Amino acid sequence: MDTKERYQLLLDKINQYNSGEKGITRVAYTNEEQACTQAFMRMCMDAGLQVRMDQCGNVIARRKGRNNDLPPVLMGSHLDTVYQGGKYDGVVGVTAALEVIRRLNDKGIQTDHPIEIISFACEESSRFGISTLGSKAMTGQFDKEKVRHLKDRNGITLEEALELVALEIDTVEEASRIGEPIKAFVELHIEQGPVLENENKKIGIVTGIAAPVRFSIKVLGTPSHSGTTPMNMRKDALLGASEIALELEKVALEEQEFGTVATVGVLEIDSGAMNVVPGEVEIKVDIRGTSTESRQRVLDHLYQTIDRVKNSRKLEIICDEIIAEEPVLLSEEIIQTMETICKEKEIPYKLMPSGAGHDAMNMVRLCPTGLIFIPSVNGLSHHPDEFTELDDIILGIDLLEEVILHYASEDAVIK
């Protein structure tokens, strides 16, 4: 069996763990996700790795180095998915890391530094509305009181979900590796966008990761009869919310050169009916970018728009910040190493930012961090039709192997 066939078999085995009929549903801390995690741990043990699970549910699989006292080199991603997601998001990074280990085993290569595969828990925000929980815990950013009572769509709290998989929210902070010497972390991930495919590039070398600011905005007007309320006497909450949404689009378009984006992804009308002027509407807003100055301009415009709409339409508007994360820049040295490898191997590559969040954005708190993108067909992700060509995955694994081997050498120094 060649490496391509072996990798495809590995990917297929992981994606057997699925609770849905459409796409892949393997949501954090559910039976399917935990079964998948246990299966992956067994695969790592079969490859000769020492495997443990930390207090947040992160899997850490370690391959010994010639000198186990040297700081480890880390690679990995996540196994959980969104509801009705695809077969590649996150999973490719975890399975690629295991394939790198298998290759090193096949070649009889022992590295100076230990190497670890990390499969991060609860990277997706789909269940509890908070993303990268596992890497937040590993990097000392877990605030148990802030997240303890977050609920999923079935009313199960995060605390309860952890208990159901034999984890305790009060010990999650012990998963922190702050202060532990770690040499580097590299994550391989599908792009989740159309840029690489459209520009005919095979590798994206990520320079920075955009971070979101998210809001829940309630617009309160007066519900009234659609037939008997004159247009000039209405306090229409939906029109107020719509005006905010359109202004967000307008200001984000003005910030295109900085890559800043703004999205209204949720709009809920309380007690909506065709013959009722909407009296209460909630929208949820996501604003993100790698430029803090550009993102702040969009935020300023949002606040100004809320004040203007509130006054002009005589509405009450309540704007609550859900989360605010800071954009991060990745290791210049790792970026340069990846560039050198791509040039030597004549791999078409592109330096690019990531608009999506990844565990890598938290790992910068622990060590120099790199992120590799491979193409997504038609830019699809978080979708049942998400697809990445096997040859593109193998090329990404080739690069990942080279980078890991480079930094697992005692001679490779990161400043």
Side-chain angles (χ1 to χ4, degrees):
M1 182 185 302
D2 65 21
T3 55
K4 283 177 66 172
E5 291 174 321
R6 178 172 70 182
Y7 177 78
Q8 186 65 62
L9 182 62
L10 171 60
L11 189 65
D12 292 342
K13 281 184 177 178
I14 291 294
N15 282 320
Q16 290 179 118
Y17 297 93
N18 177 24
S19 66
E21 294 181 3
K22 186 177 182 181
I24 303 290
T25 298
R26 190 169 51 242
V27 180
Y29 303 124
T30 58
N31 291 339
E32 293 76 22
E33 184 263 351
Q34 289 293 294
C36 182
T37 297
Q38 291 295 324
F40 181 72
M41 292 172 74
R42 291 193 297 272
M43 293 174 189
C44 289
M45 287 185 277
D46 289 343
L49 305 182
Q50 297 174 327
V51 183
R52 67 182 178 92
M53 180 181 284
D54 72 13
Q55 294 87 344
C56 192
N58 298 313
V59 173
I60 301 157
R62 186 179 178 99
R63 186 179 194 261
K64 292 181 179 179
R66 286 193 189 93
N67 184 349
N68 286 312
D69 292 330
L70 291 174
V73 176
L74 278 50
M75 57 180 169
S77 195
H78 62 98
L79 291 172
D80 67 312
T81 73
V82 299
Y83 294 99
Q84 296 186 346
K87 296 180 178 180
Y88 300 87
D89 175 13
V91 178
V92 165
V94 178
T95 51
L98 180 53
E99 175 57 26
V100 167
I101 296 297
R102 288 175 170 179
R103 290 182 181 191
L104 299 185
N105 291 347
D106 290 346
K107 297 170 186 175
I109 294 174
Q110 186 177 21
T111 55
D112 296 329
H113 289 255
I115 299 172
E116 291 181 3
I117 299 174
I118 311 292
S119 176
F120 292 104
C122 196
E123 193 273 350
E124 301 289 1
S125 61
S126 49
R127 184 171 185 189
F128 295 106
I130 183 170
S131 64
T132 64
L133 195 64
S135 55
K136 282 186 171 77
M138 190 174 287
T139 56
Q141 302 177 80
F142 186 84
D143 185 343
K144 63 186 177 185
E145 298 310 325
K146 188 174 182 179
V147 302
R148 184 189 297 272
H149 301 297
L150 295 175
K151 292 183 179 180
D152 68 9
R153 57 174 62 175
N154 296 314
I156 298 171
T157 66
L158 176 59
E159 182 173 12
E160 291 166 341
L162 289 170
E163 288 174 355
L164 289 170
V165 297
L167 297 169
E168 296 181 19
I169 198 163
D170 289 324
T171 64
V172 168
E173 290 165 323
E174 295 173 23
S176 172
R177 296 177 74 171
I178 290 288
E180 178 182 333
I182 296 171
K183 189 170 185 182
F185 171 74
V186 183
E187 181 171 4
L188 173 67
H189 206 283
I190 62 170
E191 182 197 349
Q192 300 181 276
V195 175
L196 292 176
E197 184 180 50
N198 287 349
E199 297 191 16
N200 201 26
K201 304 293 186 184
K202 293 299 182 183
I203 292 291
I205 299 174
V206 180
T207 54
I209 302 175
V213 179
R214 291 174 175 160
F215 298 92
S216 171
I217 301 174
K218 283 189 177 180
V219 183
L220 306 174
T222 303
S224 55
H225 196 290
S226 65
T228 59
T229 310
M231 295 299 293
N232 64 341
M233 296 182 183
R234 297 183 180 199
K235 295 182 180 179
D236 190 321
L238 176 57
L239 292 181
S242 301
E243 195 170 339
I244 293 169
L246 289 169
E247 279 295 312
L248 269 174
E249 179 194 33
K250 178 182 173 183
V251 69
L253 284 169
E254 293 172 358
E255 297 292 330
Q256 275 188 101
E257 64 178 295
F258 303 101
T260 304
V261 293
T263 306
V264 176
V266 174
L267 186 152
E268 295 176 346
I269 303 173
D270 184 60
S271 303
M274 189 179 293
N275 61 346
V276 176
V277 176
E280 181 176 334
V281 172
E282 181 179 15
I283 57 174
K284 290 187 177 175
V285 173
D286 178 296
I287 300 167
R288 63 178 72 194
T290 54
S291 165
T292 52
E293 295 84 2
S294 173
R295 193 179 71 171
Q296 188 60 49
R297 286 193 292 271
V298 175
L299 289 173
D300 291 343
H301 191 83
L302 171 64
Y303 298 137
Q304 292 164 10
T305 300
I306 287 172
D307 286 341
R308 179 174 55 76
V309 170
K310 186 189 300 185
N311 294 326
S312 65
R313 292 186 177 274
K314 296 180 173 53
L315 301 168
E316 181 182 355
I317 302 178
I318 303 166
C319 181
D320 291 322
E321 183 182 281
I322 300 171
I323 192 169
E325 296 181 347
E326 289 303 311
V328 299
L329 297 178
L330 301 182
S331 166
E332 280 288 343
E333 189 153 337
I334 295 179
I335 290 167
Q336 289 169 11
T337 297
M338 291 178 182
E339 277 199 275
T340 299
I341 295 169
C342 286
K343 287 173 182 175
E344 288 175 351
K345 295 184 174 295
E346 298 182 344
I347 301 170
Y349 73 93
K350 177 181 178 65
L351 295 175
M352 62 189 298
S354 171
H358 298 282
D359 290 303
M361 69 187 183
N362 295 321
M363 294 300 285
V364 297
R365 291 172 172 256
L366 295 185
C367 60
T369 295
L371 178 58
I372 301 167
F373 278 168
I374 53 177
S376 297
V377 173
N378 296 323
L380 283 178
S381 187
H382 287 185
H383 188 281
D385 294 335
E386 173 185 275
F387 182 71
T388 292
E389 296 284 354
L390 180 57
D391 285 344
D392 290 339
I393 298 175
I394 297 300
L395 192 61
I397 296 173
D398 292 344
L399 175 58
L400 179 65
E401 180 184 5
E402 292 281 344
V403 175
I404 295 300
L405 273 174
H406 176 77
Y407 288 109
S409 166
E410 200 166 358
D411 295 333
V413 178
I414 306 181
K415 297 176 182 178

